Amino acid sequence: MTSTLPIVDHPSAAREFVTNEPRSHWHDDSLWFVRSKRDKQAQSIPEWEYLREQASTIKNHTIAKLPEYLQQFEANATRLGAVVHWAADAEEHNRIVLELLRRNDTLRIVKSKSMLTEECGLNEYLIDNGIEVVDTDLGERIVQLRGETPSHIVLPAIHIKKEEVGDTFHQHLGTRAGESDPQVLTEAARGHLRGKFLSGEVGITGVNFAIADTGGLVVCTNEGNADLGVSLPRIHIACMGIEKLVPRFQDLSVFTRLLARSATGQPITSYTSHFHGPRDENSELHIVLVDNGRSKIRDSKTFRESLNCIRCGACMNTCPVYRRSGGHSYRATVPGPIGSVLGPAKNAKAHKSLPFACSLCGSCTDVCPVKIPLHHQLLAWRKVLVGKRLVAWNKRMAMKAASFLFRNPTLFAAAGYFGRVSLKVLPKSLTHNRFNTWAKDRDLPEPPKESFHEWYAKNRPSGAATASKEERS
């Protein structure tokens, strides 16, 4: 299946979003607002960096001993009455869920936000097999009604303006044409979804954390839709990646303090729901543990830490490339910096452009609550892709030319001189055109009158050279 994935060219995929300047800037500002809220929350906790360090240590330990903790979790979850299923890949995950639904003659399900089910393509699979699937998270429901995919793992409809939501609700929910008041639209969605909740026969959720020593699950939401979605139906199916484990119940508090603050800039999610076995003797809890390439990543010393991700989206909120190009330009379930690491791990050829959709500014690493060295991993992926000869020939030649230039000071100085002169006299149409994809939403700075070396030679303090020689001697 993975070998047939279309090859993603991020610059081409981002072109429409980037060239729509009003939308691009609005999207940029919206996400930076969330990033600013995150900063205020982080600064309000003196032990913030200690929590990050603890979270990183706990996740590194868990991933290192993952087989043991998975077995412990299965034993404890089974003891509580849950049924644990194992899925090697997306196809097996989808078959397991469909089999459970058919066994219970299910025609309608309600589903809370789950990036794993998005990764596995569960919605489309179930719909193709005659099951009605209703996403109950408001943002997810909006993109579902529009026939789109989420553009952000926490804010799935962040790319859609309220006026466009109004048009969608007018078409599908019958709201007044031109209605764009968020309160009115939210009330309309609430009434629409309440009927779906009442008619849902099975509730499907994702999992934020699973606790090995108790066998319990934790689901974090701000809308309470996961709680309602599994409280009314008799059957709850929880789908989780195998990396979601934490060893002990006491470890959970570290992550709940970090998650919401990093994701949306709030102290804690509105609902942090714990599930320990089925609701009662007439109910069922099924837990589907999914690998789908995670073991392969775990085997990599370079990229193993990417499995520490708790899906907060902080790296997306701060990334200048993501903020300006939008989540759909990545053509991946998880976009942004973490998606640019996970995508090539799943299929290097299909996602070969994503590690280059990065300025290497390091902001993603700075905000990651579990301290994944994201920009280092993206740089490492570039090296891997070059080794696999998956980087375009023109980019490889450009890098070789740059390497030769940087190793020859005289040539470098000459190139700098001609570059400064050329930028002053050449018309913009020659430097900013359709052949230069870099310049689609960027401009070059005004060329300086002289190089840094020339400036330093004229302005350095008198005697600096002599003092430097004396220090070396």
Side-chain angles (χ1 to χ4, degrees):
M1 178 179 175
T2 55
S3 61
T4 61
L5 286 173
I7 294 176
V8 180
D9 180 57
H10 183 267
S12 299
R15 184 175 296 120
E16 181 180 357
F17 195 92
V18 169
T19 53
N20 185 341
E21 290 193 17
R23 183 179 295 275
S24 179
H25 290 305
W26 165 77
H27 187 264
D28 182 7
D29 292 341
S30 298
L31 287 166
W32 188 253
F33 172 71
V34 180
R35 158 70 203 267
S36 300
K37 289 172 63 182
R38 174 262 175 207
D39 290 348
K40 290 179 182 178
Q41 286 292 332
Q43 292 162 9
S44 71
I45 301 179
E47 66 272 25
W48 179 258
E49 290 304 319
Y50 172 76
L51 288 171
R52 291 181 70 213
E53 189 63 44
Q54 284 292 101
S56 176
T57 300
I58 292 168
K59 291 299 286 186
N60 285 335
H61 167 78
T62 307
I63 298 302
K65 303 189 70 173
L66 191 58
E68 294 95 321
Y69 284 125
L70 284 170
Q71 291 176 350
Q72 183 184 11
F73 173 77
E74 180 187 29
N76 287 324
T78 303
R79 176 179 53 81
L80 293 172
V83 180
V84 178
H85 308 263
W86 298 83
D89 52 31
E91 290 82 359
E92 187 173 6
H93 163 269
N94 293 346
R95 287 197 303 269
I96 290 170
V97 174
L98 180 61
E99 181 182 332
L100 291 171
L101 298 180
R102 283 179 170 169
R103 189 188 304 167
N104 291 276
D105 299 320
T106 302
L107 295 177
R108 293 179 297 276
I109 69 159
V110 286
K111 186 167 76 68
S112 68
K113 185 187 296 177
S114 166
M115 295 314 297
L116 177 72
T117 60
E118 290 284 344
E119 174 188 330
C120 295
L122 180 65
N123 282 19
E124 295 79 6
Y125 182 84
L126 294 182
I127 291 170
D128 289 344
N129 282 276
I131 308 293
E132 180 188 357
V133 180
V134 177
D135 282 314
T136 58
D137 174 90
L138 179 55
E140 294 262 357
R141 187 57 176 162
I142 291 170
V143 297
Q144 186 181 35
L145 290 174
R146 292 170 62 89
E148 299 177 1
T149 57
S151 66
H152 190 288
I153 61 176
V154 175
L155 312 165
I158 188 66
H159 62 289
I160 305 171
K161 294 188 176 183
K162 62 183 181 180
E163 293 79 10
E164 295 166 327
V165 175
D167 293 340
T168 300
F169 280 15
H170 173 65
Q171 179 183 352
H172 294 278
L173 308 186
T175 56
R176 182 175 61 85
E179 181 62 70
S180 61
D181 183 270
Q183 183 66 33
V184 174
L185 297 176
T186 302
E187 290 295 336
R190 179 179 296 166
H192 161 70
L193 287 171
R194 187 56 57 96
K196 299 296 184 181
F197 279 122
L198 292 171
S199 62
E201 299 167 333
V202 170
I204 296 180
T205 70
V207 175
N208 289 93
F209 307 102
I211 306 163
D213 73 350
T214 68
L217 307 174
V218 179
V219 180
C220 304
T221 68
N222 275 328
E223 300 171 21
N225 55 303
D227 300 74
L228 190 56
V230 300
S231 296
L232 298 175
R234 188 177 65 86
I235 299 171
H236 173 192
I237 302 175
C239 306
M240 61 171 276
I242 57 175
E243 82 284 7
K244 292 292 187 178
L245 283 176
V246 295
R248 304 168 300 173
F249 185 74
Q250 67 195 71
D251 297 325
L252 181 63
S253 62
V254 174
F255 295 95
T256 54
R257 296 187 72 191
L258 289 167
L259 177 60
R261 289 180 169 91
S262 297
T264 55
Q266 61 190 106
I268 195 169
T269 49
S270 300
Y271 301 87
T272 302
S273 306
H274 297 247
F275 300 94
H276 294 86
R279 187 171 64 242
D280 53 48
E281 60 183 15
N282 296 316
S283 303
E284 298 177 20
L285 171 60
H286 295 269
I287 304 170
V288 187
L289 295 168
V290 184
D291 188 316
N292 202 35
R294 287 160 174 79
S295 292
K296 178 183 174 184
I297 298 175
R298 179 179 177 270
D299 291 338
S300 168
K301 291 183 179 180
T302 305
F303 304 113
R304 173 186 286 190
E305 285 182 274
S306 63
L307 292 178
N308 294 358
C309 177
I310 59 174
R311 300 296 193 268
C312 68
C315 62
M316 299 167 204
N317 301 338
T318 197
C319 175
V321 177
Y322 174 88
R323 296 199 323 263
R324 290 165 177 80
S325 63
H328 288 154
S329 64
Y330 293 79
R331 301 291 193 267
T333 304
V334 179
I338 184 63
S340 297
V341 174
L342 297 174
K346 184 176 182 180
N347 188 307
K349 184 176 182 181
H351 299 288
K352 62 185 180 180
S353 72
L354 296 189
F356 296 92
C358 172
S359 66
L360 297 179
C361 67
S363 185
C364 51
T365 299
D366 291 340
V367 301
C368 177
V370 290
K371 303 189 76 170
I372 302 171
L374 286 164
H375 71 293
H376 293 296
Q377 294 199 348
L378 290 167
L379 184 60
W381 260 120
R382 296 182 184 185
K383 181 178 180 180
V384 171
L385 294 170
V386 170
K388 291 177 177 286
R389 300 190 68 80
L390 290 175
V391 177
W393 68 268
N394 56 342
K395 185 169 287 188
R396 295 201 307 271
M397 293 301 103
M399 291 300 102
K400 287 183 178 180
S403 175
F404 178 76
L405 183 68
F406 294 153
R407 285 184 283 113
N408 291 269
T410 303
L411 188 60
F412 179 82
Y417 171 78
F418 286 112
R420 292 192 300 275
V421 172
S422 299
L423 287 175
K424 290 178 181 178
V425 299
L426 289 176
K428 191 170 183 178
S429 59
L430 284 180
T431 59
H432 293 68
N433 52 57
R434 64 188 180 90
F435 299 107
N436 183 7
T437 56
W438 183 91
K440 288 192 182 300
D441 196 44
R442 302 181 180 93
D443 208 346
L444 292 168
E446 182 179 347
K449 297 179 180 179
E450 57 190 359
S451 71
F452 173 75
H453 284 158
E454 291 170 338
W455 177 91
Y456 187 73
K458 290 192 299 185
N459 292 279
R460 63 182 178 178
S462 176
T466 304
S468 178
K469 289 181 181 178
E470 292 176 353
E471 288 175 3
R472 286 197 297 270
S473 63

Short mmCIF file of all heavy atoms in Angstrom, two decimals, residues 418-428 430-431 447:
data_model
loop_
_atom_site.label_atom_id
_atom_site.label_comp_id
_atom_site.label_asym_id
_atom_site.label_seq_id
_atom_site.Cartn_x
_atom_site.Cartn_y
_atom_site.Cartn_z
N PHE A 418 29.74 40.16 -6.86
CA PHE A 418 28.87 40.17 -8.06
C PHE A 418 27.40 40.03 -7.67
O PHE A 418 26.51 40.58 -8.33
CB PHE A 418 29.28 39.05 -9.01
CG PHE A 418 30.55 39.33 -9.76
CD1 PHE A 418 31.70 38.61 -9.53
CD2 PHE A 418 30.60 40.36 -10.71
CE1 PHE A 418 32.88 38.88 -10.21
CE2 PHE A 418 31.77 40.65 -11.40
CZ PHE A 418 32.92 39.91 -11.15
N GLY A 419 27.12 39.28 -6.58
CA GLY A 419 25.74 39.16 -6.12
C GLY A 419 25.18 40.49 -5.65
O GLY A 419 24.05 40.85 -6.00
N ARG A 420 25.97 41.24 -4.91
CA ARG A 420 25.51 42.55 -4.42
C ARG A 420 25.27 43.52 -5.58
O ARG A 420 24.27 44.24 -5.60
CB ARG A 420 26.53 43.14 -3.44
CG ARG A 420 26.65 42.39 -2.13
CD ARG A 420 27.45 43.18 -1.10
NE ARG A 420 28.82 43.46 -1.54
CZ ARG A 420 29.83 42.63 -1.40
NH1 ARG A 420 29.64 41.43 -0.84
NH2 ARG A 420 31.05 42.95 -1.81
N VAL A 421 26.17 43.51 -6.53
CA VAL A 421 26.02 44.40 -7.69
C VAL A 421 24.82 43.99 -8.54
O VAL A 421 24.01 44.83 -8.96
CB VAL A 421 27.31 44.40 -8.53
CG1 VAL A 421 27.10 45.17 -9.83
CG2 VAL A 421 28.48 44.99 -7.74
N SER A 422 24.68 42.68 -8.76
CA SER A 422 23.59 42.19 -9.62
C SER A 422 22.23 42.52 -9.04
O SER A 422 21.30 42.94 -9.77
CB SER A 422 23.72 40.68 -9.82
OG SER A 422 24.95 40.36 -10.44
N LEU A 423 22.07 42.36 -7.74
CA LEU A 423 20.76 42.61 -7.13
C LEU A 423 20.37 44.08 -7.21
O LEU A 423 19.20 44.42 -7.16
CB LEU A 423 20.77 42.15 -5.67
CG LEU A 423 20.75 40.62 -5.47
CD1 LEU A 423 20.88 40.30 -3.99
CD2 LEU A 423 19.45 40.03 -6.02
N LYS A 424 21.36 44.94 -7.34
CA LYS A 424 21.06 46.37 -7.46
C LYS A 424 20.58 46.74 -8.84
O LYS A 424 19.78 47.67 -9.01
CB LYS A 424 22.31 47.19 -7.10
CG LYS A 424 22.68 47.14 -5.62
CD LYS A 424 23.96 47.95 -5.37
CE LYS A 424 24.37 47.89 -3.91
NZ LYS A 424 25.64 48.62 -3.65
N VAL A 425 21.08 46.06 -9.86
CA VAL A 425 20.80 46.49 -11.24
C VAL A 425 19.80 45.60 -11.98
O VAL A 425 19.16 46.05 -12.92
CB VAL A 425 22.12 46.56 -12.04
CG1 VAL A 425 23.07 47.57 -11.40
CG2 VAL A 425 22.80 45.20 -12.15
N LEU A 426 19.65 44.33 -11.55
CA LEU A 426 18.75 43.43 -12.28
C LEU A 426 17.29 43.75 -11.98
O LEU A 426 16.94 44.07 -10.84
CB LEU A 426 19.04 41.98 -11.90
CG LEU A 426 20.34 41.37 -12.41
CD1 LEU A 426 20.50 39.95 -11.86
CD2 LEU A 426 20.37 41.35 -13.94
N PRO A 427 16.42 43.67 -12.99
CA PRO A 427 14.98 43.88 -12.73
C PRO A 427 14.42 42.71 -11.89
O PRO A 427 14.92 41.59 -11.95
CB PRO A 427 14.37 43.87 -14.14
CG PRO A 427 15.34 43.11 -14.98
CD PRO A 427 16.71 43.41 -14.40
N LYS A 428 13.39 43.00 -11.11
CA LYS A 428 12.83 42.00 -10.21
C LYS A 428 12.28 40.80 -10.96
O LYS A 428 12.23 39.68 -10.45
CB LYS A 428 11.74 42.63 -9.34
CG LYS A 428 11.29 41.72 -8.20
CD LYS A 428 10.38 42.45 -7.22
CE LYS A 428 10.02 41.53 -6.07
NZ LYS A 428 9.17 42.21 -5.06
N LEU A 430 13.58 39.16 -13.18
CA LEU A 430 14.61 38.15 -13.40
C LEU A 430 14.92 37.35 -12.12
O LEU A 430 15.36 36.20 -12.20
CB LEU A 430 15.90 38.79 -13.92
CG LEU A 430 15.91 39.21 -15.39
CD1 LEU A 430 17.24 39.82 -15.76
CD2 LEU A 430 15.62 38.00 -16.28
N THR A 431 14.72 37.98 -10.98
CA THR A 431 15.03 37.28 -9.71
C THR A 431 13.80 36.67 -9.07
O THR A 431 13.90 35.74 -8.27
CB THR A 431 15.68 38.26 -8.71
OG1 THR A 431 14.78 39.36 -8.48
CG2 THR A 431 16.99 38.78 -9.24
N PRO A 447 20.50 44.68 -0.88
CA PRO A 447 21.91 44.28 -0.83
C PRO A 447 22.76 45.33 -0.11
O PRO A 447 22.58 46.53 -0.32
CB PRO A 447 22.31 44.16 -2.30
CG PRO A 447 21.30 44.97 -3.04
CD PRO A 447 20.04 44.88 -2.26
#
